[in-house]
Amino acid sequence: MTMHHSLQRAFFNRNALKVISGLNNFNSKSVAATVQAAHHGGATFIDIAADPALVKTVKLLTNIPICVSAVEAEKFVTSVNAGADLIEIGNFDSFYAKGRKFEAEEVLALTKETRALLPKITLSVTVPHILKLDQQVELAEELVKAGADIIQTEGGTSSKPNNPGTLGLIEKAAPTLAAAYEISRAVSVPVLCASGISSVTAPLAVAAGAAGVGVGSAINQLNSEIAMIAAVRGIVESLMANRTRINIL
């Protein structure tokens, strides 16, 4: 596996930012708006639904790496052929509200199936937050053995903040931050902390051991392109400020 050089650099510097448009978002106008915000805001890469038509559209809008997400192995093949740079098994959040759960056995089997179909593409896999923390760590270790190059955490949809403002943002991110802390100490591949992350909690994710963060609703639920770009830049700046503090220390 050869990872895109810009991803390698960002993961090494622990300031990678993935902007997520949504695994079930096939609206080209909506996806394009998110991609433009990611591009102009300085994100490291973009995560879109595994659809070859979307991949071709996005490649006309940006030169940053394109990740495609799905929960069916065969869907990745056509998107990779269309030019996707990496693939993600996950972004499970959109399924939980429908009652669909992903257990460890299914995720591991899907990882093995996907790796068999695409042995050379960079592969990211999300560890379901519905598992207990020790089970998340165990699964992450098995996923790496099965060929995962990046492990992603989640949990923002399950947390219910009791407070507004900064405290509420930290409460919302707590499950994915905890997973990033535990998993990053158990695996040697980069850990991407996603779901419920904001400019407030992105530096906390890196401090917990993540090599970067994934952000979706904090960007794509905004109602203007300017606001979306500003939100991406805010997270980029928070990650860069965190790196500066680490270097000083």
Side-chain angles (χ1 to χ4, degrees), residues 6-7 9-10 15-20 34-47 62-66 213-215 219 228-229 231-237 239:
S6 64
L7 293 180
R9 183 172 63 251
N15 61 4
L17 170 59
K18 178 174 78 168
V19 174
I20 305 164
T34 302
V35 169
Q36 294 280 21
H39 178 90
H40 294 294
T44 311
F45 61 125
I46 183 77
D47 188 331
T62 186
N63 58 358
I64 65 176
I66 300 169
V213 299
V215 180
I219 307 299
M228 292 171 73
I229 293 172
V232 174
R233 286 181 178 169
I235 296 170
V236 169
E237 290 169 1
L239 289 169

PDB file of all heavy atoms in Angstrom, residues 6-7 9-10 15-20 34-47 62-66 213-215 219 228-229 231-237 239:
ATOM      1  N   SER A   6       0.493  13.614   0.634  1.00  0.00           N
ATOM      2  CA  SER A   6      -0.036  14.678   1.493  1.00  0.00           C
ATOM      3  C   SER A   6      -0.698  14.099   2.744  1.00  0.00           C
ATOM      4  O   SER A   6      -0.652  14.708   3.825  1.00  0.00           O
ATOM      5  CB  SER A   6      -1.034  15.554   0.726  1.00  0.00           C
ATOM      6  OG  SER A   6      -2.170  14.810   0.328  1.00  0.00           O
ATOM      7  N   LEU A   7      -1.295  12.918   2.613  1.00  0.00           N
ATOM      8  CA  LEU A   7      -1.867  12.248   3.777  1.00  0.00           C
ATOM      9  C   LEU A   7      -0.767  11.783   4.717  1.00  0.00           C
ATOM     10  O   LEU A   7      -0.876  11.945   5.942  1.00  0.00           O
ATOM     11  CB  LEU A   7      -2.713  11.043   3.341  1.00  0.00           C
ATOM     12  CG  LEU A   7      -3.995  11.321   2.565  1.00  0.00           C
ATOM     13  CD1 LEU A   7      -4.686  10.005   2.225  1.00  0.00           C
ATOM     14  CD2 LEU A   7      -4.929  12.201   3.368  1.00  0.00           C
ATOM     15  N   ARG A   9       2.155  13.026   5.132  1.00  0.00           N
ATOM     16  CA  ARG A   9       2.737  14.180   5.805  1.00  0.00           C
ATOM     17  C   ARG A   9       1.820  14.686   6.911  1.00  0.00           C
ATOM     18  O   ARG A   9       2.273  14.981   8.033  1.00  0.00           O
ATOM     19  CB  ARG A   9       3.010  15.293   4.786  1.00  0.00           C
ATOM     20  CG  ARG A   9       3.684  16.532   5.378  1.00  0.00           C
ATOM     21  CD  ARG A   9       4.104  17.505   4.303  1.00  0.00           C
ATOM     22  NE  ARG A   9       2.966  18.024   3.555  1.00  0.00           N
ATOM     23  CZ  ARG A   9       2.694  17.715   2.302  1.00  0.00           C
ATOM     24  NH1 ARG A   9       3.455  16.871   1.641  1.00  0.00           N
ATOM     25  NH2 ARG A   9       1.633  18.236   1.697  1.00  0.00           N
ATOM     26  N   ALA A  10       0.527  14.780   6.622  1.00  0.00           N
ATOM     27  CA  ALA A  10      -0.422  15.281   7.619  1.00  0.00           C
ATOM     28  C   ALA A  10      -0.539  14.340   8.810  1.00  0.00           C
ATOM     29  O   ALA A  10      -0.605  14.785   9.961  1.00  0.00           O
ATOM     30  CB  ALA A  10      -1.793  15.494   6.982  1.00  0.00           C
ATOM     31  N   ASN A  15      -1.863  16.509  12.090  1.00  0.00           N
ATOM     32  CA  ASN A  15      -2.793  17.613  11.851  1.00  0.00           C
ATOM     33  C   ASN A  15      -3.679  17.352  10.639  1.00  0.00           C
ATOM     34  O   ASN A  15      -4.121  18.280   9.960  1.00  0.00           O
ATOM     35  CB  ASN A  15      -2.044  18.944  11.689  1.00  0.00           C
ATOM     36  CG  ASN A  15      -1.075  18.949  10.511  1.00  0.00           C
ATOM     37  OD1 ASN A  15      -1.002  17.990   9.750  1.00  0.00           O
ATOM     38  ND2 ASN A  15      -0.321  20.027  10.375  1.00  0.00           N
ATOM     39  N   ALA A  16      -3.955  16.065  10.371  1.00  0.00           N
ATOM     40  CA  ALA A  16      -4.821  15.714   9.246  1.00  0.00           C
ATOM     41  C   ALA A  16      -6.269  16.124   9.530  1.00  0.00           C
ATOM     42  O   ALA A  16      -6.764  15.940  10.639  1.00  0.00           O
ATOM     43  CB  ALA A  16      -4.741  14.211   8.969  1.00  0.00           C
ATOM     44  N   LEU A  17      -6.926  16.651   8.512  1.00  0.00           N
ATOM     45  CA  LEU A  17      -8.345  17.011   8.627  1.00  0.00           C
ATOM     46  C   LEU A  17      -9.102  16.410   7.448  1.00  0.00           C
ATOM     47  O   LEU A  17      -8.844  16.755   6.286  1.00  0.00           O
ATOM     48  CB  LEU A  17      -8.541  18.521   8.651  1.00  0.00           C
ATOM     49  CG  LEU A  17      -9.999  18.995   8.532  1.00  0.00           C
ATOM     50  CD1 LEU A  17     -10.865  18.430   9.655  1.00  0.00           C
ATOM     51  CD2 LEU A  17     -10.070  20.522   8.498  1.00  0.00           C
ATOM     52  N   LYS A  18     -10.037  15.519   7.754  1.00  0.00           N
ATOM     53  CA  LYS A  18     -10.923  14.960   6.739  1.00  0.00           C
ATOM     54  C   LYS A  18     -12.289  15.621   6.885  1.00  0.00           C
ATOM     55  O   LYS A  18     -12.868  15.625   7.968  1.00  0.00           O
ATOM     56  CB  LYS A  18     -11.056  13.448   6.902  1.00  0.00           C
ATOM     57  CG  LYS A  18     -12.018  12.826   5.885  1.00  0.00           C
ATOM     58  CD  LYS A  18     -12.044  11.310   5.956  1.00  0.00           C
ATOM     59  CE  LYS A  18     -12.860  10.798   7.122  1.00  0.00           C
ATOM     60  NZ  LYS A  18     -13.122   9.333   7.013  1.00  0.00           N
ATOM     61  N   VAL A  19     -12.808  16.168   5.784  1.00  0.00           N
ATOM     62  CA  VAL A  19     -14.150  16.745   5.777  1.00  0.00           C
ATOM     63  C   VAL A  19     -15.090  15.732   5.124  1.00  0.00           C
ATOM     64  O   VAL A  19     -14.837  15.250   4.026  1.00  0.00           O
ATOM     65  CB  VAL A  19     -14.186  18.086   5.022  1.00  0.00           C
ATOM     66  CG1 VAL A  19     -15.622  18.588   4.899  1.00  0.00           C
ATOM     67  CG2 VAL A  19     -13.336  19.116   5.757  1.00  0.00           C
ATOM     68  N   ILE A  20     -16.163  15.404   5.825  1.00  0.00           N
ATOM     69  CA  ILE A  20     -17.067  14.320   5.437  1.00  0.00           C
ATOM     70  C   ILE A  20     -18.377  14.890   4.895  1.00  0.00           C
ATOM     71  O   ILE A  20     -19.066  15.646   5.588  1.00  0.00           O
ATOM     72  CB  ILE A  20     -17.362  13.415   6.647  1.00  0.00           C
ATOM     73  CG1 ILE A  20     -16.056  12.899   7.267  1.00  0.00           C
ATOM     74  CG2 ILE A  20     -18.271  12.256   6.258  1.00  0.00           C
ATOM     75  CD1 ILE A  20     -16.226  12.324   8.666  1.00  0.00           C
ATOM     76  N   THR A  34     -19.663  21.074   0.018  1.00  0.00           N
ATOM     77  CA  THR A  34     -18.770  20.591   1.066  1.00  0.00           C
ATOM     78  C   THR A  34     -17.340  20.468   0.560  1.00  0.00           C
ATOM     79  O   THR A  34     -16.379  20.820   1.258  1.00  0.00           O
ATOM     80  CB  THR A  34     -19.254  19.226   1.601  1.00  0.00           C
ATOM     81  OG1 THR A  34     -20.591  19.369   2.094  1.00  0.00           O
ATOM     82  CG2 THR A  34     -18.363  18.718   2.712  1.00  0.00           C
ATOM     83  N   VAL A  35     -17.202  19.985  -0.670  1.00  0.00           N
ATOM     84  CA  VAL A  35     -15.875  19.842  -1.266  1.00  0.00           C
ATOM     85  C   VAL A  35     -15.206  21.201  -1.444  1.00  0.00           C
ATOM     86  O   VAL A  35     -14.014  21.367  -1.150  1.00  0.00           O
ATOM     87  CB  VAL A  35     -15.975  19.107  -2.625  1.00  0.00           C
ATOM     88  CG1 VAL A  35     -14.647  19.180  -3.378  1.00  0.00           C
ATOM     89  CG2 VAL A  35     -16.385  17.664  -2.418  1.00  0.00           C
ATOM     90  N   GLN A  36     -15.958  22.181  -1.917  1.00  0.00           N
ATOM     91  CA  GLN A  36     -15.402  23.524  -2.092  1.00  0.00           C
ATOM     92  C   GLN A  36     -14.945  24.106  -0.760  1.00  0.00           C
ATOM     93  O   GLN A  36     -13.891  24.738  -0.679  1.00  0.00           O
ATOM     94  CB  GLN A  36     -16.454  24.443  -2.732  1.00  0.00           C
ATOM     95  CG  GLN A  36     -16.839  24.078  -4.147  1.00  0.00           C
ATOM     96  CD  GLN A  36     -15.835  24.544  -5.192  1.00  0.00           C
ATOM     97  OE1 GLN A  36     -14.683  24.790  -4.878  1.00  0.00           O
ATOM     98  NE2 GLN A  36     -16.282  24.651  -6.431  1.00  0.00           N
ATOM     99  N   ALA A  37     -15.742  23.876   0.276  1.00  0.00           N
ATOM    100  CA  ALA A  37     -15.355  24.367   1.607  1.00  0.00           C
ATOM    101  C   ALA A  37     -14.080  23.679   2.079  1.00  0.00           C
ATOM    102  O   ALA A  37     -13.188  24.325   2.646  1.00  0.00           O
ATOM    103  CB  ALA A  37     -16.491  24.120   2.597  1.00  0.00           C
ATOM    104  N   ALA A  38     -13.991  22.358   1.862  1.00  0.00           N
ATOM    105  CA  ALA A  38     -12.798  21.613   2.253  1.00  0.00           C
ATOM    106  C   ALA A  38     -11.578  22.112   1.503  1.00  0.00           C
ATOM    107  O   ALA A  38     -10.499  22.317   2.085  1.00  0.00           O
ATOM    108  CB  ALA A  38     -13.010  20.125   1.994  1.00  0.00           C
ATOM    109  N   HIS A  39     -11.740  22.322   0.209  1.00  0.00           N
ATOM    110  CA  HIS A  39     -10.628  22.763  -0.638  1.00  0.00           C
ATOM    111  C   HIS A  39     -10.138  24.154  -0.226  1.00  0.00           C
ATOM    112  O   HIS A  39      -8.947  24.358   0.018  1.00  0.00           O
ATOM    113  CB  HIS A  39     -11.081  22.771  -2.099  1.00  0.00           C
ATOM    114  CG  HIS A  39     -10.042  23.261  -3.056  1.00  0.00           C
ATOM    115  ND1 HIS A  39      -9.137  22.421  -3.661  1.00  0.00           N
ATOM    116  CD2 HIS A  39      -9.751  24.511  -3.513  1.00  0.00           C
ATOM    117  CE1 HIS A  39      -8.336  23.116  -4.446  1.00  0.00           C
ATOM    118  NE2 HIS A  39      -8.693  24.392  -4.365  1.00  0.00           N
ATOM    119  N   HIS A  40     -11.056  25.106  -0.157  1.00  0.00           N
ATOM    120  CA  HIS A  40     -10.669  26.493   0.135  1.00  0.00           C
ATOM    121  C   HIS A  40     -10.336  26.704   1.612  1.00  0.00           C
ATOM    122  O   HIS A  40      -9.619  27.658   1.950  1.00  0.00           O
ATOM    123  CB  HIS A  40     -11.785  27.439  -0.295  1.00  0.00           C
ATOM    124  CG  HIS A  40     -12.003  27.470  -1.773  1.00  0.00           C
ATOM    125  ND1 HIS A  40     -11.074  27.956  -2.668  1.00  0.00           N
ATOM    126  CD2 HIS A  40     -13.051  27.041  -2.536  1.00  0.00           C
ATOM    127  CE1 HIS A  40     -11.521  27.840  -3.898  1.00  0.00           C
ATOM    128  NE2 HIS A  40     -12.724  27.288  -3.855  1.00  0.00           N
ATOM    129  N   GLY A  41     -10.851  25.817   2.465  1.00  0.00           N
ATOM    130  CA  GLY A  41     -10.557  25.960   3.888  1.00  0.00           C
ATOM    131  C   GLY A  41      -9.260  25.318   4.318  1.00  0.00           C
ATOM    132  O   GLY A  41      -8.786  25.543   5.433  1.00  0.00           O
ATOM    133  N   GLY A  42      -8.667  24.501   3.450  1.00  0.00           N
ATOM    134  CA  GLY A  42      -7.367  23.910   3.762  1.00  0.00           C
ATOM    135  C   GLY A  42      -7.408  22.518   4.362  1.00  0.00           C
ATOM    136  O   GLY A  42      -6.454  22.098   5.017  1.00  0.00           O
ATOM    137  N   ALA A  43      -8.507  21.774   4.126  1.00  0.00           N
ATOM    138  CA  ALA A  43      -8.589  20.397   4.628  1.00  0.00           C
ATOM    139  C   ALA A  43      -7.572  19.507   3.931  1.00  0.00           C
ATOM    140  O   ALA A  43      -7.131  19.793   2.813  1.00  0.00           O
ATOM    141  CB  ALA A  43     -10.003  19.849   4.408  1.00  0.00           C
ATOM    142  N   THR A  44      -7.225  18.406   4.586  1.00  0.00           N
ATOM    143  CA  THR A  44      -6.264  17.464   4.025  1.00  0.00           C
ATOM    144  C   THR A  44      -6.893  16.585   2.966  1.00  0.00           C
ATOM    145  O   THR A  44      -6.306  16.328   1.915  1.00  0.00           O
ATOM    146  CB  THR A  44      -5.681  16.565   5.133  1.00  0.00           C
ATOM    147  OG1 THR A  44      -5.257  17.362   6.236  1.00  0.00           O
ATOM    148  CG2 THR A  44      -4.507  15.743   4.600  1.00  0.00           C
ATOM    149  N   PHE A  45      -8.112  16.099   3.243  1.00  0.00           N
ATOM    150  CA  PHE A  45      -8.811  15.270   2.262  1.00  0.00           C
ATOM    151  C   PHE A  45     -10.313  15.326   2.499  1.00  0.00           C
ATOM    152  O   PHE A  45     -10.782  15.842   3.507  1.00  0.00           O
ATOM    153  CB  PHE A  45      -8.285  13.834   2.222  1.00  0.00           C
ATOM    154  CG  PHE A  45      -8.396  13.009   3.484  1.00  0.00           C
ATOM    155  CD1 PHE A  45      -9.045  11.774   3.470  1.00  0.00           C
ATOM    156  CD2 PHE A  45      -7.789  13.397   4.674  1.00  0.00           C
ATOM    157  CE1 PHE A  45      -9.119  10.975   4.602  1.00  0.00           C
ATOM    158  CE2 PHE A  45      -7.847  12.598   5.805  1.00  0.00           C
ATOM    159  CZ  PHE A  45      -8.524  11.389   5.774  1.00  0.00           C
ATOM    160  N   ILE A  46     -11.046  14.810   1.512  1.00  0.00           N
ATOM    161  CA  ILE A  46     -12.500  14.849   1.523  1.00  0.00           C
ATOM    162  C   ILE A  46     -13.041  13.423   1.514  1.00  0.00           C
ATOM    163  O   ILE A  46     -12.455  12.541   0.899  1.00  0.00           O
ATOM    164  CB  ILE A  46     -13.045  15.648   0.310  1.00  0.00           C
ATOM    165  CG1 ILE A  46     -14.574  15.773   0.346  1.00  0.00           C
ATOM    166  CG2 ILE A  46     -12.585  15.039  -1.006  1.00  0.00           C
ATOM    167  CD1 ILE A  46     -15.067  16.790   1.322  1.00  0.00           C
ATOM    168  N   ASP A  47     -14.158  13.201   2.201  1.00  0.00           N
ATOM    169  CA  ASP A  47     -14.781  11.880   2.267  1.00  0.00           C
ATOM    170  C   ASP A  47     -16.189  11.987   1.686  1.00  0.00           C
ATOM    171  O   ASP A  47     -17.022  12.734   2.193  1.00  0.00           O
ATOM    172  CB  ASP A  47     -14.832  11.434   3.733  1.00  0.00           C
ATOM    173  CG  ASP A  47     -15.288   9.989   3.900  1.00  0.00           C
ATOM    174  OD1 ASP A  47     -16.051   9.497   3.044  1.00  0.00           O
ATOM    175  OD2 ASP A  47     -14.894   9.363   4.897  1.00  0.00           O
ATOM    176  N   THR A  62     -11.427  19.733  -7.059  1.00  0.00           N
ATOM    177  CA  THR A  62     -10.315  19.821  -6.104  1.00  0.00           C
ATOM    178  C   THR A  62      -9.206  18.849  -6.468  1.00  0.00           C
ATOM    179  O   THR A  62      -9.434  17.859  -7.175  1.00  0.00           O
ATOM    180  CB  THR A  62     -10.811  19.521  -4.671  1.00  0.00           C
ATOM    181  OG1 THR A  62      -9.747  19.738  -3.740  1.00  0.00           O
ATOM    182  CG2 THR A  62     -11.291  18.075  -4.551  1.00  0.00           C
ATOM    183  N   ASN A  63      -8.008  19.156  -5.972  1.00  0.00           N
ATOM    184  CA  ASN A  63      -6.881  18.243  -6.154  1.00  0.00           C
ATOM    185  C   ASN A  63      -6.479  17.564  -4.845  1.00  0.00           C
ATOM    186  O   ASN A  63      -5.461  16.872  -4.797  1.00  0.00           O
ATOM    187  CB  ASN A  63      -5.677  18.981  -6.751  1.00  0.00           C
ATOM    188  CG  ASN A  63      -5.224  20.160  -5.873  1.00  0.00           C
ATOM    189  OD1 ASN A  63      -5.837  20.448  -4.844  1.00  0.00           O
ATOM    190  ND2 ASN A  63      -4.169  20.831  -6.283  1.00  0.00           N
ATOM    191  N   ILE A  64      -7.252  17.786  -3.767  1.00  0.00           N
ATOM    192  CA  ILE A  64      -6.940  17.096  -2.519  1.00  0.00           C
ATOM    193  C   ILE A  64      -7.434  15.655  -2.618  1.00  0.00           C
ATOM    194  O   ILE A  64      -8.346  15.359  -3.391  1.00  0.00           O
ATOM    195  CB  ILE A  64      -7.540  17.814  -1.284  1.00  0.00           C
ATOM    196  CG1 ILE A  64      -9.074  17.798  -1.321  1.00  0.00           C
ATOM    197  CG2 ILE A  64      -7.015  19.236  -1.181  1.00  0.00           C
ATOM    198  CD1 ILE A  64      -9.711  18.414  -0.069  1.00  0.00           C
ATOM    199  N   PRO A  65      -6.831  14.729  -1.876  1.00  0.00           N
ATOM    200  CA  PRO A  65      -7.213  13.316  -1.968  1.00  0.00           C
ATOM    201  C   PRO A  65      -8.695  13.089  -1.689  1.00  0.00           C
ATOM    202  O   PRO A  65      -9.292  13.751  -0.840  1.00  0.00           O
ATOM    203  CB  PRO A  65      -6.340  12.647  -0.907  1.00  0.00           C
ATOM    204  CG  PRO A  65      -5.161  13.539  -0.782  1.00  0.00           C
ATOM    205  CD  PRO A  65      -5.692  14.930  -0.962  1.00  0.00           C
ATOM    206  N   ILE A  66      -9.260  12.139  -2.417  1.00  0.00           N
ATOM    207  CA  ILE A  66     -10.680  11.794  -2.282  1.00  0.00           C
ATOM    208  C   ILE A  66     -10.810  10.421  -1.644  1.00  0.00           C
ATOM    209  O   ILE A  66     -10.280   9.432  -2.156  1.00  0.00           O
ATOM    210  CB  ILE A  66     -11.378  11.779  -3.648  1.00  0.00           C
ATOM    211  CG1 ILE A  66     -11.285  13.156  -4.313  1.00  0.00           C
ATOM    212  CG2 ILE A  66     -12.835  11.341  -3.514  1.00  0.00           C
ATOM    213  CD1 ILE A  66     -11.724  13.150  -5.772  1.00  0.00           C
ATOM    214  N   VAL A 213      -8.328  14.460  12.542  1.00  0.00           N
ATOM    215  CA  VAL A 213      -9.753  14.408  12.870  1.00  0.00           C
ATOM    216  C   VAL A 213     -10.592  14.359  11.600  1.00  0.00           C
ATOM    217  O   VAL A 213     -10.168  14.804  10.530  1.00  0.00           O
ATOM    218  CB  VAL A 213     -10.188  15.618  13.731  1.00  0.00           C
ATOM    219  CG1 VAL A 213      -9.439  15.633  15.058  1.00  0.00           C
ATOM    220  CG2 VAL A 213      -9.983  16.932  12.976  1.00  0.00           C
ATOM    221  N   GLY A 214     -11.798  13.831  11.756  1.00  0.00           N
ATOM    222  CA  GLY A 214     -12.784  13.846  10.690  1.00  0.00           C
ATOM    223  C   GLY A 214     -13.988  14.658  11.145  1.00  0.00           C
ATOM    224  O   GLY A 214     -14.469  14.472  12.263  1.00  0.00           O
ATOM    225  N   VAL A 215     -14.467  15.553  10.286  1.00  0.00           N
ATOM    226  CA  VAL A 215     -15.567  16.446  10.656  1.00  0.00           C
ATOM    227  C   VAL A 215     -16.612  16.445   9.553  1.00  0.00           C
ATOM    228  O   VAL A 215     -16.281  16.566   8.371  1.00  0.00           O
ATOM    229  CB  VAL A 215     -15.058  17.882  10.883  1.00  0.00           C
ATOM    230  CG1 VAL A 215     -16.206  18.793  11.270  1.00  0.00           C
ATOM    231  CG2 VAL A 215     -13.989  17.900  11.962  1.00  0.00           C
ATOM    232  N   ILE A 219     -19.557  21.095   9.511  1.00  0.00           N
ATOM    233  CA  ILE A 219     -19.314  21.831   8.272  1.00  0.00           C
ATOM    234  C   ILE A 219     -20.558  21.834   7.381  1.00  0.00           C
ATOM    235  O   ILE A 219     -21.072  22.886   7.004  1.00  0.00           O
ATOM    236  CB  ILE A 219     -18.147  21.206   7.472  1.00  0.00           C
ATOM    237  CG1 ILE A 219     -16.891  21.074   8.343  1.00  0.00           C
ATOM    238  CG2 ILE A 219     -17.873  22.015   6.211  1.00  0.00           C
ATOM    239  CD1 ILE A 219     -16.351  22.361   8.875  1.00  0.00           C
ATOM    240  N   MET A 228     -19.110  27.760   5.782  1.00  0.00           N
ATOM    241  CA  MET A 228     -18.503  26.434   5.700  1.00  0.00           C
ATOM    242  C   MET A 228     -16.985  26.529   5.577  1.00  0.00           C
ATOM    243  O   MET A 228     -16.248  25.814   6.250  1.00  0.00           O
ATOM    244  CB  MET A 228     -19.084  25.660   4.514  1.00  0.00           C
ATOM    245  CG  MET A 228     -20.554  25.298   4.696  1.00  0.00           C
ATOM    246  SD  MET A 228     -21.313  24.623   3.188  1.00  0.00           S
ATOM    247  CE  MET A 228     -20.556  22.991   3.137  1.00  0.00           C
ATOM    248  N   ILE A 229     -16.522  27.425   4.725  1.00  0.00           N
ATOM    249  CA  ILE A 229     -15.078  27.619   4.570  1.00  0.00           C
ATOM    250  C   ILE A 229     -14.461  28.101   5.876  1.00  0.00           C
ATOM    251  O   ILE A 229     -13.404  27.630   6.297  1.00  0.00           O
ATOM    252  CB  ILE A 229     -14.787  28.629   3.434  1.00  0.00           C
ATOM    253  CG1 ILE A 229     -15.207  28.041   2.084  1.00  0.00           C
ATOM    254  CG2 ILE A 229     -13.305  29.008   3.417  1.00  0.00           C
ATOM    255  CD1 ILE A 229     -15.138  29.028   0.929  1.00  0.00           C
ATOM    256  N   ALA A 231     -15.537  27.576   8.869  1.00  0.00           N
ATOM    257  CA  ALA A 231     -15.530  26.486   9.843  1.00  0.00           C
ATOM    258  C   ALA A 231     -14.361  25.542   9.591  1.00  0.00           C
ATOM    259  O   ALA A 231     -13.695  25.088  10.531  1.00  0.00           O
ATOM    260  CB  ALA A 231     -16.857  25.730   9.780  1.00  0.00           C
ATOM    261  N   VAL A 232     -14.113  25.216   8.308  1.00  0.00           N
ATOM    262  CA  VAL A 232     -12.966  24.358   7.981  1.00  0.00           C
ATOM    263  C   VAL A 232     -11.665  25.040   8.407  1.00  0.00           C
ATOM    264  O   VAL A 232     -10.798  24.426   9.036  1.00  0.00           O
ATOM    265  CB  VAL A 232     -12.938  24.041   6.472  1.00  0.00           C
ATOM    266  CG1 VAL A 232     -11.663  23.260   6.123  1.00  0.00           C
ATOM    267  CG2 VAL A 232     -14.159  23.225   6.066  1.00  0.00           C
ATOM    268  N   ARG A 233     -11.527  26.305   8.076  1.00  0.00           N
ATOM    269  CA  ARG A 233     -10.306  27.038   8.442  1.00  0.00           C
ATOM    270  C   ARG A 233     -10.123  27.097   9.952  1.00  0.00           C
ATOM    271  O   ARG A 233      -9.001  27.009  10.457  1.00  0.00           O
ATOM    272  CB  ARG A 233     -10.355  28.457   7.864  1.00  0.00           C
ATOM    273  CG  ARG A 233     -10.114  28.500   6.366  1.00  0.00           C
ATOM    274  CD  ARG A 233     -10.140  29.914   5.828  1.00  0.00           C
ATOM    275  NE  ARG A 233      -9.862  29.939   4.401  1.00  0.00           N
ATOM    276  CZ  ARG A 233     -10.022  30.993   3.612  1.00  0.00           C
ATOM    277  NH1 ARG A 233     -10.486  32.130   4.148  1.00  0.00           N
ATOM    278  NH2 ARG A 233      -9.749  30.940   2.331  1.00  0.00           N
ATOM    279  N   GLY A 234     -11.232  27.232  10.671  1.00  0.00           N
ATOM    280  CA  GLY A 234     -11.140  27.269  12.131  1.00  0.00           C
ATOM    281  C   GLY A 234     -10.573  25.979  12.698  1.00  0.00           C
ATOM    282  O   GLY A 234      -9.755  26.003  13.638  1.00  0.00           O
ATOM    283  N   ILE A 235     -10.979  24.850  12.127  1.00  0.00           N
ATOM    284  CA  ILE A 235     -10.462  23.557  12.603  1.00  0.00           C
ATOM    285  C   ILE A 235      -9.014  23.382  12.188  1.00  0.00           C
ATOM    286  O   ILE A 235      -8.184  22.896  12.971  1.00  0.00           O
ATOM    287  CB  ILE A 235     -11.344  22.411  12.080  1.00  0.00           C
ATOM    288  CG1 ILE A 235     -12.750  22.537  12.655  1.00  0.00           C
ATOM    289  CG2 ILE A 235     -10.747  21.053  12.465  1.00  0.00           C
ATOM    290  CD1 ILE A 235     -13.764  21.600  12.036  1.00  0.00           C
ATOM    291  N   VAL A 236      -8.676  23.784  10.952  1.00  0.00           N
ATOM    292  CA  VAL A 236      -7.280  23.723  10.502  1.00  0.00           C
ATOM    293  C   VAL A 236      -6.394  24.538  11.427  1.00  0.00           C
ATOM    294  O   VAL A 236      -5.322  24.087  11.861  1.00  0.00           O
ATOM    295  CB  VAL A 236      -7.155  24.235   9.046  1.00  0.00           C
ATOM    296  CG1 VAL A 236      -5.688  24.419   8.672  1.00  0.00           C
ATOM    297  CG2 VAL A 236      -7.827  23.275   8.081  1.00  0.00           C
ATOM    298  N   GLU A 237      -6.835  25.740  11.749  1.00  0.00           N
ATOM    299  CA  GLU A 237      -6.052  26.615  12.620  1.00  0.00           C
ATOM    300  C   GLU A 237      -5.911  26.036  14.020  1.00  0.00           C
ATOM    301  O   GLU A 237      -4.851  26.159  14.644  1.00  0.00           O
ATOM    302  CB  GLU A 237      -6.688  28.005  12.673  1.00  0.00           C
ATOM    303  CG  GLU A 237      -6.541  28.776  11.370  1.00  0.00           C
ATOM    304  CD  GLU A 237      -7.384  30.039  11.321  1.00  0.00           C
ATOM    305  OE1 GLU A 237      -8.074  30.326  12.331  1.00  0.00           O
ATOM    306  OE2 GLU A 237      -7.361  30.725  10.287  1.00  0.00           O
ATOM    307  N   LEU A 239      -5.818  22.889  14.780  1.00  0.00           N
ATOM    308  CA  LEU A 239      -4.848  21.792  14.697  1.00  0.00           C
ATOM    309  C   LEU A 239      -3.422  22.324  14.570  1.00  0.00           C
ATOM    310  O   LEU A 239      -2.494  21.783  15.181  1.00  0.00           O
ATOM    311  CB  LEU A 239      -5.178  20.901  13.499  1.00  0.00           C
ATOM    312  CG  LEU A 239      -6.437  20.039  13.619  1.00  0.00           C
ATOM    313  CD1 LEU A 239      -6.797  19.421  12.265  1.00  0.00           C
ATOM    314  CD2 LEU A 239      -6.260  18.953  14.669  1.00  0.00           C
TER     315      LEU A 239
END
